[in-house]
Amino acid sequence: MAETETRDSVGYVLKGYPRISELFIASEIWRLEQLGLRLRLFVLKPADEPGHHPVVDRIEATPSYLPETTSLSGVGVRQWLRENFGSFRPALGRVARRHPLRTLRAAAAAAGQAVRARDGLRPRSIYLKEFLQAADVADRLLRARDVRHLHAHFAHGTTTVTWLASMLTKLPFSFTGHAKDIYRESLNPAGLLRRKMRAASFVVTCTGANQEHLRRVEPAADVHLVYHGLNADFAALLPTAPGRPDPVPAGATAAVQVDPVQVDPAGRAWERAAAGTATLAADPDITPLRVVAVGRMVPKKGFGVLVEAVADLTARGVELELVIAGEDGPDAATIRRLVAERCPDAVQFTGPLSQCELLALYRGADVFALACRVDADGDRDGIPNVMVEAMAAGLPVVSTAVSGIPELVRDGENGLLVQPEDPGALASALLRLATDVSLRDRLAAAGRETVAERFDGDVLARRMAGLFRGGQP
């Protein structure tokens, strides 16, 4: 059989795999396999997380891990090469002997970028590392002989490796850009993002706002919008999950509508008062509000703004409880200190939760809130995947008009949007939902419909498959 007839696989190049925070990538890989695509996974870093999501066990492709490297931080290039070059020497040698001109071209591209992005007079050594990783990927590709296209997730380091590997193998490549990887100049300095976009067969991104940004970066590039969609593990849970309660009929007591507690990841359950009677706030028109927020504690999530809004409401006598689920991050100490100072009895932290635990948390809450913002360095969310999950689970959403969020949440139609960096406006939106249960129900129903119509992961995977098969999404 001719070599061209056997090239039917798509090679995914990933920085790490599997990763708890990148369930959307694992879901995409699994769904593509279900559509009949054969995939190979090339992973730049060894697996370093103790657990993974269930969908990973259903993926047929076996990850191929590159040699582990030491950090470039604080060491000279010569020392780094002494410690690491031996791991890449055999692959580089095989590629160079087979394709010497391609190797020279890729090395020149890496060296040129290192000079263009230099810090003072010193070239950036990261591109030497990425060239060696690209040679290792290329060696694996040339030996496998079945990959016809390369695709990378995240537009900075992983895509640079894939771009260089494409030079070495003459395989076409594409990449998906997400958030900071397309906005932070420091991650693609000296015009690197534009050069990679020119070289790519096509570019994918997960929001219309990102698509517009990328088209401004390189108008000639072929940039496609493919939303992440609801992840496969969460979508599988929804058909068997208990439905949210119907609205309390006029004149009836709230007691008959209380959800039973299913999980208590916060160490304190969402619960009503004893004997099934809901505890009321000082104002009889304000129902106790259970708010959930999910995400790593990083600046772009705006947890500080959300905590300020909660503190404002509790100071005004509104009975409210906020649960923040997710990993600690660089903002964790600041957020916890703010909670201790402003509203210690109103906020709980759960740490990371499984998809089952998250669904139970959503089911026990009244509102999902996330005060997304643009960080000082340009980092921002696209469309937070957890927001799609919350809407699918039947929660009304309050967020900010940042980046791609208005593509999911339409203010007053399927959620509420406020301007970023405005705790007062966020507090007003939460208070509006606390005082209007019928509005909560209407927004929740519209949110579920939005996810079903526009964020179906299976439908969106077919768009990706169409791109890989040479058609349109």
Side-chain angles (χ1 to χ4, degrees):
M1 183 179 289
E3 179 178 324
T4 55
E5 295 176 330
T6 65
R7 288 187 178 273
D8 61 352
S9 297
V10 175
Y12 262 53
V13 184
L14 307 170
K15 182 177 182 180
Y17 175 88
R19 283 185 164 174
I20 293 295
S21 62
E22 294 177 1
L23 175 55
F24 60 94
I25 294 178
S27 293
E28 177 179 294
I29 290 169
W30 178 74
R31 282 172 165 142
L32 289 172
E33 287 187 338
Q34 299 310 296
L35 292 170
L37 265 73
R38 292 181 56 188
L39 302 179
R40 282 187 177 269
L41 309 182
F42 303 95
V43 189
L44 304 187
K45 295 179 64 176
D48 57 0
E49 296 184 355
H52 59 260
H53 293 288
V55 70
V56 173
D57 294 327
R58 304 198 297 274
I59 291 172
E60 293 184 8
T62 301
S64 178
Y65 292 98
L66 271 64
E68 186 172 5
T69 62
T70 59
S71 175
L72 278 163
S73 300
V75 300
V77 173
R78 291 182 180 179
Q79 178 181 337
W80 188 87
L81 284 172
R82 282 196 301 271
E83 295 172 349
N84 297 275
F85 184 69
S87 299
F88 295 96
R89 187 198 308 271
L92 178 60
R94 285 189 291 268
V95 172
R97 286 191 296 272
R98 186 168 178 176
H99 297 295
L101 293 180
R102 295 181 191 176
T103 304
L104 286 174
R105 178 175 175 242
Q113 177 61 25
V115 172
R116 282 189 296 269
R118 64 188 178 275
D119 182 10
L121 297 177
R122 179 179 298 178
R124 291 278 300 277
S125 54
I126 183 64
Y127 301 107
L128 169 61
K129 173 182 176 180
E130 289 171 349
F131 168 72
L132 293 175
Q133 290 176 319
D136 195 285
V137 171
D139 180 55
R140 296 167 193 245
L141 289 166
L142 292 169
R143 285 186 287 157
R145 298 171 62 86
D146 65 340
V147 174
R148 58 177 173 78
H149 185 92
L150 297 174
H151 187 77
H153 266 280
F154 295 100
H156 49 316
T158 309
T159 293
T160 303
V161 171
T162 306
W163 172 50
L164 296 171
S166 172
M167 292 183 194
L168 292 166
T169 60
K170 292 296 185 181
L171 292 175
F173 82 99
S174 55
F175 66 90
T176 299
H178 295 274
K180 68 182 181 182
D181 53 312
I182 64 173
Y183 288 102
R184 279 189 186 172
E185 172 67 18
S186 61
L187 296 178
N188 282 292
L192 179 57
L193 178 57
R194 182 171 61 253
R195 281 191 292 279
K196 289 186 287 192
M197 291 178 67
R198 287 175 181 168
S201 298
F202 60 87
V203 178
V204 178
T205 192
C206 52
T207 73
N210 286 354
Q211 185 182 39
E212 292 177 6
H213 169 73
L214 288 169
R215 284 174 171 169
R216 288 192 297 269
V217 171
E218 178 45 67
D222 186 19
V223 183
H224 295 268
L225 168 61
V226 182
Y227 292 120
H228 288 164
L230 193 63
N231 78 70
D233 281 349
F234 199 85
L237 293 173
L238 288 177
T240 57
R244 291 183 59 77
D246 294 330
V248 180
T253 65
V256 297
Q257 300 297 332
V258 175
D259 288 337
V261 173
Q262 299 173 56
V263 70
D264 188 10
R268 187 171 82 222
W270 293 119
E271 58 186 7
R272 305 295 190 176
T277 303
T279 304
L280 299 179
D283 186 335
D285 293 328
I286 301 178
T287 60
L289 196 68
R290 300 171 294 179
V291 182
V292 62
V294 182
R296 186 167 178 256
M297 280 188 270
V298 294
K300 68 180 179 180
K301 299 295 182 183
F303 285 120
V305 176
L306 178 57
V307 170
E308 290 283 6
V310 168
D312 175 46
L313 290 172
T314 56
R316 292 156 57 186
V318 178
E319 188 170 343
L320 180 150
E321 184 177 33
L322 168 66
V323 169
I324 297 175
E327 298 176 71
D328 278 358
D331 260 12
T334 300
I335 300 305
R336 291 177 187 275
R337 184 166 56 250
L338 182 62
V339 168
E341 294 171 353
R342 298 295 311 280
C343 47
D345 296 328
V347 181
Q348 304 173 57
F349 299 92
T350 73
L353 300 179
S354 70
Q355 294 293 288
C356 288
E357 290 170 329
L358 275 177
L359 179 56
L361 192 65
Y362 295 147
R363 293 292 189 182
D366 298 309
V367 178
F368 178 93
L370 206 56
C372 299
R373 56 186 293 275
V374 179
D375 196 9
D377 63 3
D379 192 13
R380 69 200 72 187
D381 266 312
I383 296 175
N385 296 315
V386 291
M387 199 173 293
V388 180
E389 294 169 6
M391 292 172 72
L395 273 183
V397 166
V398 178
S399 192
T400 54
V402 166
S403 190
I405 293 173
E407 299 169 42
L408 171 68
V409 182
R410 300 183 299 276
D411 185 40
E413 296 182 25
N414 63 358
L416 298 180
L417 292 178
V418 302
Q419 290 303 305
E421 314 283 4
D422 192 340
L426 187 61
S428 296
L430 290 171
L431 184 60
R432 184 179 173 192
L433 293 179
T435 57
D436 193 340
V437 176
S438 64
L439 175 62
R440 295 206 305 254
D441 293 333
R442 178 172 63 79
L443 296 178
R448 282 195 299 267
E449 186 175 344
T450 296
V451 173
E453 290 180 350
R454 299 179 54 226
F455 292 85
D456 184 318
D458 293 334
V459 172
L460 295 166
R462 286 197 287 274
R463 295 184 184 177
M464 285 295 296
L467 290 170
F468 290 139
R469 286 170 173 150
Q472 293 294 312

